Amino acid sequence: MGGRGALTNAEWERLEPLLPGGGTRGGRWSDHRRVIDGVLFRVRTGVQWRDLPERFGPWMTVYKRHRRWSADGTWERLLTRVQAEQDAEGRIDWDVSVDSTTARAHQHAAGAPKAAPPVFPAPKGARGRTKRGDPMAEPVRPPGGGDQAGECLGRSRGGFSTKIHLSAEGRCRALSLLLTPGQYGDSPQFEAVLEKIRVPRLGAGRPRTRPGSVSADKAYSSRGNRAYLRRRKIRHTIPEPRDQRAHRHRRGSAGGRPTGFDKERYRKRNVVERAINRLKNHRAVATRYDKRAYVYLGTVTVAALIIWLRT
């Protein structure tokens, strides 16, 4: 297709073997590369789906493909596969940082039906094959419905918004992504974000789920989070807020030992801020236009995928 932001030949060669096969009931899907380029154009520019240039084909085809792949986990599997390739080459820095960012929700993001999203057919494997007994061979109903909270929409100081929680490796690329309504706190999502880290091995062995170390700001300082990291034997650097330190001193020996803090390691925490900036260079990530949370998560995942391909 060409054009700024489109897939290069090298990127397409990496993705093509991983893409699903044809459509259902003997139908054939439109060219994957053209459709993916259309999705990338929309994620980068934030235009309405109806305003996609004609070179990407019918806008409804591009939108439906993005919605389906957001629901059945295709975008997430592509991201995981690229991460696995990078890990096999030793190109992932496992000094992980955790943080969150708020994305202002456009007025078009409101008004999703209260009914749960429809069930999507089971995705086919690469080039139309699925393994028997594979959980991905089951029909998928994505989360959502009910109310605004069910679609990860809420009101915070920034207004009508969604919060993106993420972990980033040492080269400013997202390892895991999680959405909540905009008013949700950071600390309660800490464990969930780390639990979503899962980088498969290309050869034998279980997926890697444990970082070498974790850094986070003082918003994540809590006994529960520190106990979770100790339980998983993960080194961590999280500053202790002044009020927590004073409370520990007041309790004397019952307050426990002082928390460890590595100033040099904490300086690397800016990688997650830079990863957020990279994601928000995509306008459809910086401002949420999608009504359904699973579609917006797919949008954020596409942005993360293209960052991994080009870094």
Side-chain angles (χ1 to χ4, degrees):
M1 287 301 300
R4 188 167 69 92
L7 289 174
T8 64
N9 290 335
E11 292 164 357
W12 172 245
E13 289 174 0
R14 294 177 66 183
L15 292 182
E16 185 181 15
L18 312 176
L19 296 173
T24 57
R25 297 184 182 180
R28 298 185 64 184
W29 281 354
S30 299
D31 178 63
H32 278 323
R33 184 170 185 176
R34 182 173 70 168
V35 171
I36 292 175
D37 283 343
V39 173
L40 293 180
F41 181 88
R42 187 263 173 176
V43 172
R44 179 171 57 84
T45 62
V47 300
Q48 294 188 23
W49 290 104
R50 293 176 181 270
D51 294 332
L52 282 176
E54 293 182 359
R55 67 178 183 272
F56 300 120
W59 70 268
M60 183 61 76
T61 298
V62 181
Y63 166 68
K64 285 186 175 180
R65 190 79 53 85
H66 175 59
R67 184 183 64 173
R68 176 186 292 270
W69 286 1
S70 298
D72 64 22
T74 297
W75 291 127
E76 185 176 358
R77 289 196 300 278
L78 291 176
L79 175 61
T80 300
R81 178 68 183 204
V82 172
Q83 291 173 344
E85 292 175 355
Q86 298 267 353
D87 189 41
E89 298 170 2
R91 297 170 61 188
I92 293 182
D93 183 347
W94 284 97
D95 284 340
V96 173
S97 298
V98 178
D99 207 346
S100 70
T101 183
T102 299
R104 186 69 179 268
H106 193 270
Q107 60 182 356
H108 293 167
K114 292 187 177 181
V119 176
F120 286 81
K124 291 189 177 181
R127 300 196 182 280
R129 297 187 298 273
T130 52
K131 294 182 179 180
R132 195 171 181 180
D134 186 351
M136 295 307 301
E138 299 296 328
V140 176
R141 182 188 291 277
D147 54 11
Q148 288 185 355
E151 298 297 345
C152 296
L153 289 166
R155 295 195 177 274
S156 63
R157 290 183 179 181
F160 193 45
S161 57
T162 293
K163 184 172 283 189
I164 305 171
H165 306 263
L166 72 156
S167 63
E169 53 93 47
R171 296 182 179 177
C172 310
R173 298 173 295 187
L175 278 173
S176 61
L177 298 162
L178 179 69
L179 300 184
T180 64
Q183 76 274 17
Y184 278 32
D186 293 348
S187 184
Q189 314 305 323
F190 183 73
E191 292 186 24
V193 171
L194 292 181
E195 291 290 341
K196 286 180 70 68
I197 297 176
R198 186 179 181 85
V199 178
R201 313 282 186 178
L202 293 185
R206 294 179 295 178
R208 177 160 184 175
T209 60
R210 189 172 65 179
S213 66
V214 171
S215 300
D217 62 26
K218 61 179 65 177
Y220 294 92
S221 177
S222 71
R223 286 193 173 188
N225 289 342
R226 295 181 192 275
Y228 167 79
L229 292 168
R230 286 195 297 269
R231 189 165 61 249
R232 294 190 62 189
K233 300 180 180 179
I234 300 175
R235 294 180 300 168
H236 57 278
T237 299
I238 304 175
E240 187 180 27
R242 184 179 301 174
D243 60 337
Q244 292 184 10
R245 186 165 57 248
H247 178 66
R248 177 171 52 79
H249 287 164
R250 284 195 301 269
R251 296 188 63 190
S253 60
R257 294 178 297 175
T259 59
F261 182 74
D262 188 336
K263 185 181 295 186
E264 292 299 320
R265 186 177 297 276
Y266 187 71
R267 288 178 179 175
K268 293 184 63 177
R269 197 194 66 82
N270 67 83
V271 298
V272 69
E273 306 288 352
R274 290 152 64 189
I276 290 170
N277 288 339
R278 286 183 175 183
L279 288 174
K280 285 195 164 183
N281 281 336
H282 301 79
R283 295 191 175 190
V285 175
T287 301
R288 173 177 171 175
Y289 301 100
D290 302 302
K291 295 182 184 296
R292 291 291 194 184
Y294 74 88
V295 179
Y296 181 61
L297 181 59
T299 298
V300 181
T301 304
V302 170
L305 171 62
I306 205 65
I307 291 170
W308 274 87
L309 285 174
R310 295 176 179 175
T311 304

